[in-house]
Amino acid sequence: MSDSAEPTVAGVKQQLLDVAQEMLTSGLVQGTAGNVAARLPDGNVVLTPSSVDYLTMTLDDLVVCSLDGEVVEGHRGPTSEKALHLSALRRYPEINATMHCHAKHCTMFALTRRPIPAVIEEFVVYVGGDVPVAAYETTGSDELAEEVAGHVADRSAVLMANHGLFAVGKNTADVMHIAGLVERTAEIVWGAQRLGEIVPLPPETNAQFAGYYRYGRTGKF
Ligand SMILES: [Zn+2]
């Protein structure tokens, strides 16, 4: 499907399954960890199920919930991080896909509770600025969902303290790209910090590129 085609319920479900498998094969998670959600054209949300192997997962394993979290379709339980995804999708109507993963270098920053600095131009355009660290809350809780979702109002990624990464995007391909870019940047920053002090981008460049992110997300500068 091209980007310009109107999404269909079946199309978005297939995209969600594809991106969940890509999340595993690209190394952003291991085993059945991580989860992905996408807004369907009918307003409901399709989510990955709890504890199903990504490589054998089929469309039939996916779970559809209302934005309020009521299961409307599917024979499996939704991901235990359902509240996290729904909280972001409720708050931000321009966001249509969300991903939570345990990418290695992102999790290193999450353990030390250090933001990933916006020091690469491309990164600012796609992420909007530094990737902040949301305060620690227990996995799967409504408190975690509220805390994490609050950090992605003006950027596409946030670290979850002592846990991993949460990313938001316009569609499943976009959110996969963002999660991969943030992980790649976390690795580069981690390596660069060993070589020496990182030189920040000029503040005006960061402001300009953050504006491009806002425009790409909302259509407004
Ligand atoms: Zn997790």
Side-chain angles (χ1 to χ4, degrees):
M1 182 190 292
S2 75
D3 280 355
S4 58
E6 280 297 310
T8 62
V9 167
V12 174
K13 286 181 178 175
Q14 185 63 54
Q15 288 165 2
L16 183 89
L17 180 61
D18 292 346
V19 85
Q21 292 174 336
E22 190 180 348
M23 176 176 73
L24 176 78
T25 55
S26 62
L28 296 179
V29 291
Q30 246 204 332
T32 62
N35 23 79
V36 195
R39 195 189 307 276
L40 294 168
D42 63 11
N44 287 325
V45 176
V46 59
L47 303 105
T48 46
S50 178
S51 304
V52 175
D53 189 313
Y54 289 110
L55 296 181
T56 57
M57 191 180 287
T58 67
L59 290 171
D60 193 44
D61 292 317
L62 303 179
V63 184
V64 176
C65 286
S66 69
L67 263 184
D68 295 329
E70 191 186 335
V71 175
V72 296
E73 191 187 311
H75 59 93
R76 294 202 180 266
T79 165
S80 59
E81 296 287 11
K82 176 181 81 172
L84 176 64
H85 297 273
L86 295 181
S87 178
L89 291 166
R90 272 196 306 270
R91 279 180 195 232
Y92 309 113
E94 75 281 10
I95 290 302
N96 294 307
T98 50
M99 177 182 286
H100 162 57
C101 65
H102 299 166
K104 259 193 273 183
H105 295 87
C106 291
T107 307
M108 286 162 53
F109 280 82
L111 293 184
T112 50
R113 301 200 184 179
R114 292 169 64 181
I116 302 168
V119 287
I120 300 175
E121 288 177 337
E122 176 204 24
F123 181 82
V124 188
V125 172
Y126 288 107
V127 178
D130 295 352
V131 177
V133 187
Y136 180 79
E137 297 287 353
T138 308
T139 181
S141 67
D142 289 343
E143 291 77 11
L144 178 68
E146 290 307 306
E147 165 64 17
V148 171
H151 286 274
V152 285
D154 61 353
R155 59 207 60 207
S156 62
V158 56
L159 296 169
M160 297 157 63
N162 299 74
H163 189 155
L165 175 69
F166 181 69
V168 301
K170 284 178 285 182
N171 53 46
T172 51
D174 188 34
V175 82
M176 181 69 217
H177 170 246
I178 289 162
L181 177 65
V182 173
E183 170 60 4
R184 178 182 160 82
T185 304
E187 183 175 7
I188 291 169
V189 168
W190 174 67
Q193 283 168 341
R194 294 171 161 207
L195 288 173
E197 195 177 331
I198 292 177
V199 180
L201 283 167
E204 57 273 21
T205 302
N206 257 337
Q208 179 189 355
F209 283 46
Y212 293 156
Y213 171 71
R214 274 196 306 279
Y215 185 74
R217 175 162 166 177
T218 64
K220 289 179 245 168
F221 272 110

